[in-house]
Amino acid sequence: MKRGLLIILSGPSGVGKGTIRKIFSEDERLNLAYSTSMTTRKPREGEQDGVDYFFTTREEFEKAIENGELLEYAEFVGNYYGTPLKEVNRLRDEGKNVLLEIEVQGATQVQQKCPDAISIFIVPPSMEELERRIRGRRTEPEEIVQQRLAKASNEMKMVYQYKYIVCNDDPQLAAELIETIILRHIELEENK
Amino acid sequence: MKRGLLIILSGPSGVGKGTIRKIFSEDERLNLAYSTSMTTRKPREGEQDGVDYFFTTREEFEKAIENGELLEYAEFVGNYYGTPLKEVNRLRDEGKNVLLEIEVQGATQVQQKCPDAISIFIVPPSMEELERRIRGRRTEPEEIVQQRLAKASNEMKMVYQYKYIVCNDDPQLAAELIETIILRHIELEENK
């Protein structure tokens, strides 16, 4: 069996990664799988270990970092979140194409560890449009909005690290472009 | 009948626009047409007026420029080359999607005159790869190669003026991405 692809889907926060992913993940030809993340945050009501997340302690998480067991990780509001390499490899060995929908910082880590990853960066039609989307999402203090915008602006500078750049002007088209990219890579892999 | 789309295909010279265009232009669903250019250069053996080019005099060409009859034009080695607006409009009015495969400078002119144009910029996988392609094309004095590279490097800066950016790492995939873009715009136009 052919080993599955590793696909990184990233882009500044607020750009619409989730919306696009929902559209193209319905395409069964892509044979996608999502790896379960590891976290130190407490399980919420109804969340199952090994399904929603691998729940772990801070100590264990830090040991996993030291042992190079995480493809990428980040800390948010005092909790660690990361992608276990073992999980990704297991799915790829089963022939699944693993999609990581991750933040820009995490994507950089994955690219360094897996140069064969197919990296896709979603960009907004313009920074003005991204601002409109960030402001439209919820009512937040101006200071927070400004922080988000500054972060997005910095994240945009990472665009050249990616193999493919897809503009999210029209989510349907963005999803179709990503489908085209993945299907072509599946084809190339099969003909190897 | 729906008016056809205007599609600009551009990118630095040497990037492989022609190769990609040959692949996707075989897709009949795209319903593409190519407008005949106007030139002041003399017809070569076997070239027909109105088919290969509209052959004209320098005086007439300059009058056409003054009257705003050209969507874009440029001068190469002492001869003018341009795209007559009338030709493009005639084809679009017939419902054809007009594709202009043009140099970066001409593309900027078209974008200014037709903000509704779907602009696609082909980028090389890297500047190193573009250099390899430019050098591989033919044997030229180092000075000319350096000029081409400097021009390409400048042209790359125009990337943000384009709606879509497609990397030509794999011409087949680049062609498929362009097909996806055009088909989606045809669909959007039909649903208007």
Side-chain angles (χ1 to χ4, degrees), chain B residues 16-192:
Chain B
K17 293 188 284 291
T19 310
I20 296 170
R21 203 243 313 139
K22 269 189 209 113
I23 303 173
F24 74 74
S25 63
E26 284 176 14
D27 186 337
E28 289 179 8
R29 296 171 300 169
L30 305 184
N31 188 26
L32 294 176
Y34 303 90
S35 94
T36 306
S37 294
M38 189 187 268
T39 185
T40 57
R41 89 154 160 70
K42 294 277 165 292
R44 291 184 192 136
E45 180 93 22
E47 281 186 339
Q48 285 177 54
D49 185 40
V51 178
D52 299 288
Y53 282 100
F54 292 109
F55 295 102
T56 186
T57 62
R58 219 172 155 81
E59 198 189 348
E60 296 241 300
F61 199 104
E62 285 171 354
K63 211 163 77 186
I65 297 172
E66 274 171 43
N67 294 343
E69 290 167 14
L70 298 174
L71 201 45
E72 56 88 30
Y73 72 94
E75 204 173 350
F76 291 113
V77 234
N79 288 308
Y80 281 123
Y81 295 81
T83 305
L85 182 59
K86 209 171 144 185
E87 264 295 286
V88 170
N89 283 338
R90 184 182 63 78
L91 291 164
R92 292 181 74 186
D93 288 342
E94 283 176 9
K96 290 279 180 191
N97 300 316
V98 178
L99 186 100
L100 302 177
E101 182 195 323
I102 50 181
E103 296 301 312
V104 173
Q105 221 189 330
T108 304
Q109 296 176 50
V110 180
Q111 284 173 309
Q112 282 160 355
K113 285 183 189 162
C114 303
D116 71 330
I118 297 157
S119 54
I120 303 169
F121 194 77
I122 313 280
V123 294
S126 66
M127 286 313 281
E128 291 72 28
E129 175 58 24
L130 186 66
E131 176 162 353
R132 210 185 57 75
R133 288 182 199 175
I134 287 174
R135 287 187 185 279
R137 236 203 252 188
R138 60 210 122 177
T139 342
E140 280 177 332
E142 183 59 23
E143 197 188 318
I144 301 290
V145 169
Q146 289 303 332
Q147 277 174 17
R148 279 186 201 282
L149 287 172
K151 186 165 172 255
S153 175
N154 261 320
E155 286 171 340
M156 282 295 286
K157 293 177 191 148
M158 308 306 281
V159 62
Y160 287 111
Q161 289 191 9
Y162 291 76
K163 200 166 166 75
Y164 301 106
I165 300 161
V166 171
C167 176
N168 184 21
D169 189 2
D170 167 5
Q172 180 65 39
L173 174 54
E176 286 175 14
L177 291 172
I178 293 170
E179 283 171 21
T180 304
I181 293 166
I182 299 174
L183 287 172
R184 174 63 180 161
H185 276 278
I186 291 172
E187 188 187 339
L188 287 172
E189 206 60 29
E190 278 167 0
N191 295 337
K192 252 186 193 168

Side-chain angles (χ1 to χ4, degrees), chain A residues 117-118 127 183 187:
Chain A
I118 297 157
M127 286 313 282
L183 287 172
E187 189 187 340

Side-chain angles (χ1 to χ4, degrees), chain A residues 114-130:
Chain A
C114 304
D116 71 331
I118 297 157
S119 55
I120 304 169
F121 194 75
I122 313 281
V123 294
S126 66
M127 286 313 282
E128 289 73 28
E129 176 57 23
L130 186 67

